[in-house]
Amino acid sequence: MVVEATGRRDVPDVDDVATLPERWMWFGKLAVRAVLTRYDVHVSGADQVPATGPVILASNHMGYLDGPLLFATSRRGVHCMVKESMFSGPMGFGLLRMGQIKVDRYHTDPLAVKQTLRLLRQGGAVAIYPEGARGRGDVVSTKGGAAYFALVTGAPVVPVACLGTRADGASPEAYPPKGSRLDLVVGAPLHVDAVPWPRTKGQVAAVQDTIQEALSAHVRYALELTGQTLPSPPSAG
């Protein structure tokens, strides 16, 4: 139970939410790494992720392999926020076994919020895509989830740039060609002070702007570092 300095219980209460499993997470990492052998994978700045304690990995999002690339290459077990449509069939079974977080992208999802807060309060690592959906990956707009979780828990926010996960002109649903170079570049943690309840929309918006600016700048840095480029929109027809 989390209790504020004022004696008030923090909001929301997460005692009614079970801890997400990690039993199969490391097996999942090995399986995804096997898939990624089809590509030329490069990771920079992995030591920027704190070895212990709560952390929010905030990544840009442009290709289908962004999540698997971050999940498989992280030195820590990572619980990624994954859209609910992915949780069907064998893949959905595997995602649940590996403790990934099913989230409704279009509506407020109380269960996903509570699961994420519980993980962070227990010192876990959570991956969030502030852009909300796959795009060019240039972080021109974001949603407020990462900011909210940082304000509630005080977890540092680590910017992550995933590059090469989508070919130029290709659909966001397409895999990059075999042999493509994939880069994951990790930046310095952004520290956010926890704010006691009640937190205002203005406080969340201010931190959201800070995270967006930091992640956008980090993507630009990663592009210069790796020589990668962001994809143009899908070709017509």
Side-chain angles (χ1 to χ4, degrees):
M1 188 76 66
V2 177
V3 180
E4 303 285 6
T6 60
R8 299 191 61 147
R9 181 181 295 180
D10 197 10
V11 177
D13 180 13
V14 299
D15 288 354
D16 59 340
V17 176
T19 301
L20 290 174
E22 294 189 359
R23 181 178 179 183
W24 298 101
M25 186 176 288
W26 300 101
F27 173 79
K29 278 180 174 280
L30 292 175
V32 176
R33 287 172 184 168
V35 173
L36 293 177
T37 58
R38 293 170 47 88
Y39 303 99
D40 180 20
V41 176
H42 297 258
V43 179
S44 303
D47 57 349
Q48 295 278 18
V49 179
T52 59
V55 63
I56 298 168
L57 304 175
S59 174
N60 70 327
H61 201 19
M62 64 181 186
Y64 189 85
L65 288 179
D66 295 336
L69 178 63
L70 192 160
F71 172 79
T73 59
S74 174
R75 297 179 180 180
R76 295 183 60 172
V78 178
H79 299 266
C80 301
M81 300 195 83
V82 182
K83 63 181 181 179
E84 62 180 351
S85 62
M86 300 294 291
F87 287 80
S88 61
M91 178 178 289
F93 178 82
L95 289 171
L96 290 172
R97 289 289 183 180
M98 292 186 289
Q100 304 309 291
I101 305 166
K102 179 168 63 174
V103 61
D104 182 345
R105 294 187 302 165
Y106 305 105
H107 305 92
T108 300
D109 192 331
L111 178 58
V113 170
K114 288 186 175 185
Q115 288 175 328
T116 302
L117 289 176
R118 187 175 182 91
L119 285 167
L120 291 171
R121 288 171 178 168
Q122 293 178 331
V126 174
I128 299 176
Y129 298 87
E131 292 170 287
R134 299 174 203 143
R136 290 199 68 222
D138 49 2
V139 200
V140 296
S141 65
T142 59
K143 297 182 180 297
Y148 170 78
F149 293 126
L151 278 173
V152 174
T153 65
V157 179
V158 175
V160 178
C162 292
L163 303 172
T165 55
R166 177 175 148 202
D168 190 52
S171 164
E173 305 295 327
Y175 286 90
K178 182 179 179 180
S180 297
R181 173 170 173 146
L182 307 183
D183 281 280
L184 185 135
V185 182
V186 184
L190 175 67
H191 295 280
V192 178
D193 293 330
V195 174
W197 182 87
R199 288 161 286 272
T200 67
K201 290 183 179 180
Q203 289 171 320
V204 174
V207 175
Q208 179 182 346
D209 288 344
T210 299
I211 292 173
Q212 179 177 334
E213 291 172 5
L215 182 54
S216 179
H218 177 65
V219 170
R220 293 193 297 271
Y221 162 77
L223 290 169
E224 294 180 3
L225 177 70
T226 63
Q228 293 265 23
T229 57
L230 296 178
S232 59
S235 303

